[in-house]
Structure formats: C-alpha cells, structure tokens
Amino acid sequence: MASDSPKLTGRTAVVTGGSRGIGLGIAEALLAAGASVVITGRDRSHLDTAVAELSKGGRAGRVHAEAADVSQPAQAAAAVAAAVAKFGGLDILINNAGVGVFASVAEMAVEDWQQTIDTNLSGVFYCCHAAVHEMRQRGGGWIINISSLAGKNPFTNGAAYCASKAGLNAFSEALMLEVRQDNIRVSYVMPGSVATSFGRGDGPGGPAADWKLTPEDIAQVVMDLIAHPSRSLPSRVEIRPSRPPVKK
C-alpha cells in the first residue's frame, strides 16, 4: 500500500454512519488530507457532536452533517445530493453505516432481520445508485464499502449480520466490474474486531481492548486505498488484530 497520505484538496466525500466509531475515524482522516466531508447518521445529537469535533482546526467550512437513514432510498439519495449541493460534486463514497443485532435464527425478530439487511446491504445499494451518476460526471471516484470478516467467517447468533456482509462483499465485486472503466474504483474492507460500541447482543465490537483494532486502523486502510496508483486496484482488504487473545 502507498505510504504517503493522498492529497484530497478539492475532493468531496460522503461517509455514511460518520458520527461515531469507524466512520468518524475515516471522516477525520479525509479532512486531514484536505477533502470536504459530508457525514450521515440517524441521531442528530451524535451528528452535532461529531461536527463540533471534526470542525476543529479551521475545518468548519469543509464539514457538513446530513441526518439520514440509508435504509430509506430517498434519504440515501438526499445525502449524496447534499454533498453535490454543498461542495459541488462527489468524488468519494464510504459506505460505513451498519447495524448489528445478534440472536439465533429461531429467536430473532423478523423486524431485526429486515433492519440488518436493509441497512447493511440495501443501504449500500441505495447510496451507490445515487453516487455512481455523480462520479461519472466528475470523471471517476472511489467507493469503499466497510464490510467485515463476518462476511466470510460465519458465527453462531450472527446469521443476519453475516448474511448482510457476505451479500455486501458480492455486491462490491460486481459493482467493481461494472464501473472500473468509468475510472471509479470500488474496494471493500473486511475488519476483524474493532474497539467501538457497535452491536447489540453477542456480536463483534464491544468495549475497548488493547488487542483490538481501532477506528484509526481502518481509516488508514481507506486512505491507503485512495492513495494507491491508478493503474492498480486493491479490490478487497482483510484486516484483523495481530495478537488476539489465545482461546484456552
């Protein structure tokens, strides 16, 4: 991967689920590289807190928060439209918004299944559907989808989450083939355990631990992908903790 940070002055990015955790870390890295950034989220108070943090150091004019639930097609499209209206176009889409409800298939509520698939998989489609048109007008761009190692390593009580991420992986590879001749590079990142507050129930995420990945680790992968020479396309990156606890 490239070691130098990309210079993104004049570029515009949308980071879904950008108010906390991995999304916030990615938004910070994009701003540090000079990009203008629209973050999305469902909770206005979390968005306001994130904007205040991201705006430090004279960046206020390059940060915008858009309240959006990407599982709703109109709201996903509105987030892309907000980037175009606020900053003049769209160059980078980071699909990070996700939910995790972890329960056995027999016990999981139908509504929880639908929310997981609608957000983690359909929400990415809705955002990409709107973004590709804008990127073609700009002559190219980057779409980076934040997936999970759960997409290839299923676990007990994770059927909905694992299915959503496996679907996201396949979607990302198909989209990559569709748009690479438009100079739109599509990649997906599959993290292992990350120290965030993500998840409800017995699933990934959870309290911070020294051995886990950090949001900044995932942000570094994203920035390396953007900085990669245009002649090559790392279409999938797996990243995991280097020294997880040994199971006894």
Side-chain angles (χ1 to χ4, degrees):
M1 290 268 178
S3 58
D4 295 332
S5 296
K7 304 300 187 288
L8 298 178
T9 302
R11 304 285 191 174
T12 300
V14 169
V15 181
T16 69
S19 64
R20 295 184 293 174
I22 292 172
L24 183 62
I26 294 171
E28 168 64 34
L30 290 165
L31 285 163
S36 298
V37 178
V38 174
I39 60 171
T40 77
R42 295 181 297 178
D43 188 304
R44 174 52 68 179
S45 65
H46 290 154
L47 286 170
D48 291 343
T49 299
V51 167
E53 180 177 341
L54 293 170
S55 297
K56 294 176 181 177
R59 299 173 179 172
R62 293 193 286 118
V63 185
H64 175 72
E66 189 75 11
D69 178 350
V70 298
S71 72
Q72 303 301 310
Q75 294 185 39
V80 171
V84 175
K86 183 74 175 177
F87 299 118
L90 179 64
D91 305 285
I92 302 165
L93 172 63
I94 311 296
N95 284 301
N96 169 73
V99 298
V101 181
F102 304 97
S104 68
V105 171
E107 299 299 327
M108 173 169 279
V110 170
E111 294 78 12
D112 286 339
W113 169 271
Q114 292 173 331
Q115 181 191 26
T116 303
I117 300 299
D118 288 349
T119 303
N120 298 359
L121 181 54
S122 296
V124 175
F125 164 76
Y126 300 143
C127 290
C128 291
H129 183 263
V132 165
H133 298 288
E134 299 297 337
M135 289 181 179
R136 282 174 171 158
Q137 292 187 38
R138 299 278 269 192
W142 295 265
I143 296 174
I144 300 176
N145 299 327
I146 306 303
S147 184
S148 169
L149 287 176
K152 57 174 281 188
N153 301 321
F155 56 88
T156 302
N157 293 335
Y161 185 77
C162 295
S164 72
K165 293 302 186 179
L168 175 57
N169 297 347
F171 172 84
S172 299
E173 295 192 8
L175 179 63
M176 178 269 293
L177 296 172
E178 290 179 11
V179 300
R180 59 182 174 178
Q181 297 300 332
D182 297 309
N183 196 34
I184 300 173
R185 287 186 276 172
V186 179
S187 305
Y188 60 105
V189 181
M190 302 169 66
S193 297
V194 183
T196 70
S197 59
F198 174 82
R200 170 159 61 90
D202 182 18
D210 290 343
W211 61 270
K212 290 184 177 182
L213 300 168
T214 68
E216 290 73 24
D217 295 329
I218 312 307
Q220 182 63 58
V221 172
V222 168
M223 300 308 290
D224 285 347
L225 287 168
I226 293 172
H228 213 273
S230 59
R231 65 180 175 271
S232 58
L233 174 58
S235 54
R236 180 176 76 183
V237 178
E238 297 183 13
I239 179 171
R240 48 179 54 79
S242 57
R243 298 186 66 185
V246 177
K247 293 182 179 180
K248 298 180 179 180

